[in-house]
Structures are given as C-alpha cells and as structure tokens.
C-alpha cells in the first residue's frame, strides 16, 4: 500500500524501475487500495520473483502515455487466469495505436520465454514448458492489439516440450524461425522441421487433429551450429514444406553447420524444384547456393547471403 501512495505522489515521473527479488510485495496491495495514475511515465521496468506481486501491482497502475514496458516474472501453473492482466500491462494505449510495431520476436532459451517488440517486452522464467496454451493466448492477445506484426521465433534449446510450444504458435504471423543447436546432435534440424510442418502424430505427446496447416506465413528458416543429415532433411522439406503448404517459404539457411549424406549443392538443386532456396554460411566442407544460382565454396571462410 505504501508503494502505491508513493507512486501516486510522483505525477511527473517519467521512468520507473522496480526490481523485487524476494516476493515481499505480494501482500501490500489489498483490493481496496486506489489505483495510481502516472500520466507522464514513458518507461517502466518491473522484475518480480512473485507472479502474484507483479499482477497485484500492475492492476493498480494507470499508465495512459506511450512508453516502453518491460515485465520479467517467474510464474507457476495456472498463469492462464492472469493473461488479461499481462495483456493490459503490455498492450498499447488507444492513443498509441498508430505506433504499433511492424515486427516482434519470441525467444525460448533455458527456462525463459520472452515476447519482445521495439517498445514492449514480457519475460517469464518457468520451471517447465508445460503452459504453451497460456503463452499462446498471451501472444495472440498482444499480437491482436498490435495489429499483427510479423514475428521472429528464436529457439535456444531443444526438447519435446520446446517443439510442442513452437507448434502451438503455428497460427500466429511467424515469418522467420531461428534455431541455435549443438554440433553433437544430428537430429535437431529435422526435429525443428517436424515441429514447423509435421502432422501431430509425428510429435511426442501431441494429440488432436490439425484444422489448419501451421506456419502458413513462414518465409525463412535459419539453422545454426549443428550437424545436418541432408538426405533426410531434404525429404522432410519436400513432404512438409511444399509450396502448397507453405506458400510464403523462400529459404532455408544453414549457419556454421556440417553435413552428412550429400553435398549442399545437390540438396539445393533438389529443393529449388519446389521453390525453396537452400544456403550455407561458413559451413564446413560444403557449398552454398545463392538465390541467383551462383555457387561458391563456404568451407574456408564467410559466405555472404
């Protein structure tokens, strides 16, 4: 309650940062406490260990101006009921509708999920990625309020839960998917392609029919730092990434990868038949294919795309 009173007295405040690591604010905002208006605030950055503390505080804040909003909180199961609160915090005010971002990004790394645009950021630290429906709903809410900016999704981890989460976002306006993996695993790239385009039965623990083919807006796939079995990957791409299913898909780019089974040039010729350009950047012992079909050796140094 004391914090709200202090903030209410700071009507000219333009920047606010609260870093609460111990969850001690959870009981300080009873429902009877009036809201605090900060009419000139331009930037707010909140980090909370307790989701309850974060939600109770943002329910009390009235922030009418266009500003940068960052929320970082640890959440636990049952985040779904709080989607409306997170949406209210991060969504643009009516007066800022004309400033909706043209692009936004989603990152999945370690135990964190993050949604970010040029002025809005929300991060969750989670114990397990078992709440993909709630995260999907939150992303959908924010995307809708921001006029559906194009999304880039970056994956910095790999597990059946990660692929489920990625799959759940397939109905959003995702134009680029980037995967950072490990050179010791040869299955990462194909698991990524399965998550983007496979049938539900091809994914662990994913049930139910697919009403609409996912990732219809996808344009580019970037795969970093792994070993790629090109024969298997090319077969997957032909079956699941065909233009009939992914009409916008233009390219698959490998960065710092090694290959098995065939030369990259051979795989590129195969996928060019279905309208997909295959490229490599600093890929050991392979070729890269530019969109104009010119070729060059990529094993000895950087290759420009």
């Amino acid at each position: 309650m004391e914090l709200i009173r202090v903030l209410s007295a700071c009507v000219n405040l333009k920047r606010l940062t609260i870093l609460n690591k111990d969850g001690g604010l959870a009981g300080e905002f009873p429902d009877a406490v009036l809201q605090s208006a900060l009419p000139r605030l331009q930037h707010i950055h909140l980090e909370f260990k307790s989701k309850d503390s974060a939600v109770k505080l943002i329910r009390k804040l009235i922030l009418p101006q266009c500003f940068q909003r960052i929320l970082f909180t640890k959440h636990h199961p049952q985040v779904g009921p709080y989607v409306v609160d997170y949406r209210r915090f991060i969504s643009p005010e009516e007066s800022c509708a004309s400033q909706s971002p043209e692009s936004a990004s989603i990152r999945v790394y370690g135990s964190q999920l993050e949604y970010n645009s040029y002025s809005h950021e929300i991060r969750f630290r989670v114990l397990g990625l078992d709440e993909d429906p709630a995260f999907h709903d939150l992303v959908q809410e924010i995307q809708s309020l921001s006029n559906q900016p194009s999304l880039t999704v970056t994956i910095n981890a790999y597990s059946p839960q990660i692929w489920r989460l990625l799959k759940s976002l397939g109905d959003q306006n995702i134009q680029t998917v980037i995967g950072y993996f490990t050179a010791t695993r040869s299955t990462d790239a194909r698991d990524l392609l399965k998550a983007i385009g496979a049938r539900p039965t091809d994914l662990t623990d994913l049930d139910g029919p697919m009403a609409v083919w996912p990732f219809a807006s996808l344009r580019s796939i970037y795969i970093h730092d792994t070993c790629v079995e090109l024969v298997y990957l090319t077969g997957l791409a032909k079956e699941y990434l065909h233009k009939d299913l992914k009409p916008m898909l233009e390219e698959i780019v490998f960065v710092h990868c090694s290959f098995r089974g065939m030369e990259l040039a051979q795989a590129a010729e195969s996928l060019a038949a279905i309208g997909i350009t295959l490229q490599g950047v600093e890929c050991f012992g392979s070729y890269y294919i530019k969109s104009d079909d010119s070729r060059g050796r990529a094993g000895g140094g950087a290759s420009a795309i």
Side-chain angles (χ1 to χ4, degrees):
M1 184 183 302
E2 192 63 30
L3 177 59
I4 293 297
R5 288 176 177 170
V6 171
L7 292 177
S8 297
C10 301
V11 294
N12 293 320
L13 191 66
K14 292 186 177 181
R15 187 180 187 94
L16 174 64
T17 300
I18 299 177
L19 308 179
N20 178 246
K21 303 298 185 180
D22 59 7
L25 294 177
E28 294 191 8
F29 310 120
D31 292 338
V33 176
L34 296 177
Q35 292 181 311
S36 175
L38 300 173
R40 297 190 178 184
L41 194 70
Q42 298 296 312
H43 175 102
I44 184 168
H45 182 161
L46 304 177
E47 292 194 21
F48 283 88
K49 180 179 180 180
S50 165
K51 172 176 62 64
D52 294 331
S53 293
V55 169
K56 288 183 178 181
L57 176 59
I58 63 181
R59 284 177 177 173
K60 299 300 179 183
L61 297 176
I62 301 175
L63 309 168
Q65 294 298 314
C66 301
F67 55 86
Q68 185 179 35
R69 287 164 264 191
I70 299 174
L71 175 63
F72 183 19
T73 180
K74 175 181 177 180
H75 76 69
H76 52 74
Q78 299 180 347
V79 68
Y82 301 102
V83 166
V84 172
D85 296 297
Y86 292 135
R87 164 192 164 178
R88 177 182 174 275
F89 174 79
I90 204 170
S91 63
E93 301 292 334
E94 191 172 319
S95 60
C96 305
S98 62
Q99 301 182 28
S100 296
E102 294 183 0
S103 62
S105 64
I106 294 173
R107 291 183 63 200
V108 183
Y109 54 106
S111 61
Q112 290 188 183
L113 304 175
E114 175 183 307
Y115 177 96
N116 188 291
S117 69
Y118 76 94
S119 62
H120 306 85
E121 180 177 342
I122 185 164
R123 285 181 282 161
F124 297 108
R125 179 176 288 137
V126 296
L127 299 178
L129 296 175
D130 54 357
E131 285 200 78
D132 36 293
F135 186 70
H136 167 273
D137 291 348
L138 180 61
V139 170
Q140 184 165 277
E141 288 276 1
I142 299 171
Q143 284 286 103
S144 177
L145 290 167
S146 302
N147 295 323
Q148 301 295 340
S150 62
L151 276 169
T152 295
V153 177
T154 302
I155 304 293
N156 290 76
Y158 42 85
S159 70
Q161 291 77 23
I162 294 288
W163 306 134
R164 279 184 50 181
L165 175 66
L166 179 59
K167 193 73 171 181
S168 75
L169 298 170
D171 60 346
Q172 302 303 305
N173 185 24
I174 295 173
Q175 296 194 7
T176 303
V177 172
I178 303 171
Y180 288 89
F181 300 115
T182 170
T184 61
R185 289 170 52 93
S186 63
T187 60
D188 294 333
R190 58 186 179 185
D191 287 344
L192 175 62
L193 292 194
K194 284 183 179 181
I196 293 171
R199 298 178 179 87
T201 52
D202 293 326
L203 290 175
T204 303
D205 299 327
L206 189 62
D207 300 317
M210 184 182 299
V212 179
W213 197 264
F215 301 96
S217 59
L218 187 63
R219 293 181 179 272
S220 301
I221 301 170
Y222 288 80
I223 296 172
H224 290 247
D225 308 320
T226 192
C227 178
V228 181
E229 296 181 0
L230 284 175
V231 174
Y232 192 90
L233 183 138
T234 303
L236 278 178
K238 286 183 176 180
E239 184 175 2
Y240 295 121
L241 303 181
H242 196 277
K243 287 290 186 177
D244 290 342
L245 308 173
K246 299 283 187 293
M248 308 292 289
L249 185 60
E250 298 173 350
E251 61 180 358
I252 300 175
V253 181
F254 300 109
V255 183
H256 300 148
C257 291
S258 60
F259 305 110
R260 296 177 183 173
M262 67 169 66
E263 289 278 354
L264 183 60
Q266 183 181 355
E269 290 177 1
S270 179
L271 291 190
I274 61 171
I276 298 175
T277 299
L278 206 59
Q279 304 185 61
V281 179
E282 296 183 351
C283 294
F284 179 74
S286 63
Y287 287 87
Y288 68 93
I289 308 299
K290 294 183 178 180
S291 57
D292 62 359
D293 287 333
S294 61
R295 301 182 183 182
R297 176 70 68 175
S303 57
I305 299 178

